[in-house]
Amino acid sequence: MLNKYSVLMSVYYKDRPDWLELSLSSIVLQTVFPDEIILVKDGEISEDLERVIKKFIDGYPCVFKVIPLKNNVGLGPALNVGLKECRNNIVIRMDADDYCVFDRNEKLLKAANAHKDCGIIGSWEAEFNGSLDNVVAIHKVPENTNQIFEFMKRRCALLHPTVLYKKDIIIKCGGYNNAPLYEDYDLFLRVVIKYKVPCYNIQEPLYFIRINDDFFKRRGGWKYMKNLVSFKWKQYKIGYMSYGDFCVSAGAHAVVCMLPNYLRKKIYMKFLRG
């Protein structure tokens, strides 16, 4: 059984120290302990964030490997740097402001052993506001490769921070490109559509992600809409989606982007979540 794995994270100056502490605590309390935790500091960070990181390094000196970057380069490029430093082929993602259940990594590893042909194993995620016991939605994604393949043509079927992936496959598929806001979708489209790598999603929420009004505000406005349509047009031109899929996906998302925030929130909750 595959038990050795690396955890890959990135932290930057806007992350909150208390959220980072909760995130790291949920990783070191896993039922299957990580072989290493790669933490990329994406540019300069606050002293409070540094203190949280030092606390965990002191507590687990043989596990943490911190990689400092001089400048803030963004999530995708930061993860590319960290991925190269992972000594294990099995890599599990984690974000600095989220939380995962105590046996999440064990379940990901068991699924990877049960689906040895899969390059990515993901799960559903629980979206919470404020405290972990205030779950407001479950973000569900399809289970098997064929379902994921079809779903990917209109929406991302793999939830980035929930995934376990194989380092050699991600590198073979080109790693993270410069696609601001869509680094994960861009990567997973290549993995699933171009390289036809089998993938699997565990059909339960193993990961908790924070949402609030700002979460929905960031998904609206003219600039976000332009980036979204431009990204999907590029995927259509490459051949990752049909013109019909492009029109349905980009058109619907563009309309949602331009709605008032309270309406955008209602649509996300009613139609895009479980």
Side-chain angles (χ1 to χ4, degrees):
M1 179 174 173
L2 300 170
N3 277 331
K4 283 196 172 184
Y5 67 95
S6 303
V7 173
L8 177 58
M9 302 179 63
S10 174
V11 60
Y12 81 132
Y13 71 99
K14 287 187 178 180
D15 287 319
R16 279 181 45 170
D18 54 335
W19 292 356
L20 175 62
E21 183 160 5
L22 179 66
S23 176
L24 291 174
S25 295
S26 74
I27 285 294
V28 298
L29 294 176
Q30 289 292 303
T31 52
V32 178
F33 195 74
D35 184 53
E36 66 173 355
I37 299 172
I38 301 293
L39 181 58
V40 182
K41 291 196 294 186
D42 187 10
E44 293 187 6
I45 60 175
S46 69
E47 291 184 3
D48 288 338
L49 285 168
E50 292 281 12
R51 277 193 286 271
V52 172
I53 294 170
K54 184 178 185 302
K55 171 184 173 181
F56 281 89
I57 292 174
D58 291 345
Y60 306 90
C62 298
V63 177
F64 278 85
K65 183 175 183 180
V66 178
I67 303 169
L69 302 182
K70 184 176 181 180
N71 300 310
N72 176 247
V73 296
L75 180 62
L79 292 179
N80 275 336
V81 173
L83 186 61
K84 292 175 183 176
E85 297 294 327
C86 293
R87 61 172 173 248
N88 298 299
N89 196 43
I90 298 296
V91 177
I92 292 179
R93 280 279 293 114
M94 185 73 197
D95 277 346
D97 54 355
D98 297 332
Y99 172 87
C100 57
V101 299
F102 71 98
D103 59 349
R104 172 235 185 174
N105 294 356
E106 180 180 356
K107 288 183 175 180
L108 287 174
L109 291 167
K110 285 181 176 178
N113 278 281
H115 304 273
K116 293 186 184 297
D117 60 330
C118 289
I120 301 177
I121 305 289
S123 75
W124 296 350
E125 62 188 14
E127 297 177 338
F128 71 100
N129 190 347
S131 62
L132 289 168
D133 58 1
N134 185 29
V135 173
V136 296
I138 303 295
H139 192 167
K140 298 179 180 180
V141 280
E143 183 174 12
N144 62 46
T145 296
N146 290 337
Q147 295 168 335
I148 290 169
F149 183 90
E150 291 303 319
F151 197 92
M152 286 293 289
K153 297 174 183 177
R154 295 191 178 183
R155 289 170 55 202
C156 193
L158 296 159
L159 305 178
H160 188 208
T162 76
V163 302
L164 169 158
Y165 51 44
K166 296 176 181 176
K167 175 181 176 179
D168 57 349
I169 289 176
I170 298 302
I171 290 175
K172 175 186 174 183
C173 294
Y176 294 91
N177 284 340
N178 183 22
L181 305 177
Y182 300 101
E183 297 97 339
D184 54 341
Y185 196 2
D186 174 77
L187 170 61
F188 296 153
L189 276 168
R190 278 179 278 125
V191 172
V192 174
I193 305 293
K194 181 178 180 180
Y195 289 92
K196 295 180 170 52
V197 176
C199 300
Y200 180 80
N201 279 315
I202 298 171
Q203 299 293 283
E204 62 176 301
L206 303 177
Y207 192 90
F208 284 67
I209 184 171
R210 296 176 185 275
I211 65 167
N212 49 34
D213 283 345
D214 286 340
F215 176 90
F216 299 103
K217 285 179 183 176
R218 291 195 300 269
R219 285 154 178 78
W222 176 251
K223 182 178 179 181
Y224 187 91
M225 189 269 283
K226 276 183 63 178
N227 286 339
L228 182 147
V229 173
S230 175
F231 171 76
K232 297 211 170 189
W233 178 254
K234 180 181 177 182
Q235 307 314 311
Y236 158 65
K237 297 296 286 184
I238 292 171
Y240 292 173
M241 60 178 67
S242 69
Y243 185 68
D245 285 328
F246 164 75
C247 290
V248 171
S249 181
H253 276 90
V255 170
V256 172
C257 282
M258 301 312 294
L259 290 173
N261 195 51
Y262 77 96
L263 284 178
R264 183 163 49 251
K265 180 178 179 179
K266 284 186 176 181
I267 288 173
Y268 265 86
M269 291 301 189
K270 185 172 179 62
F271 298 107
L272 302 179
R273 298 295 185 264

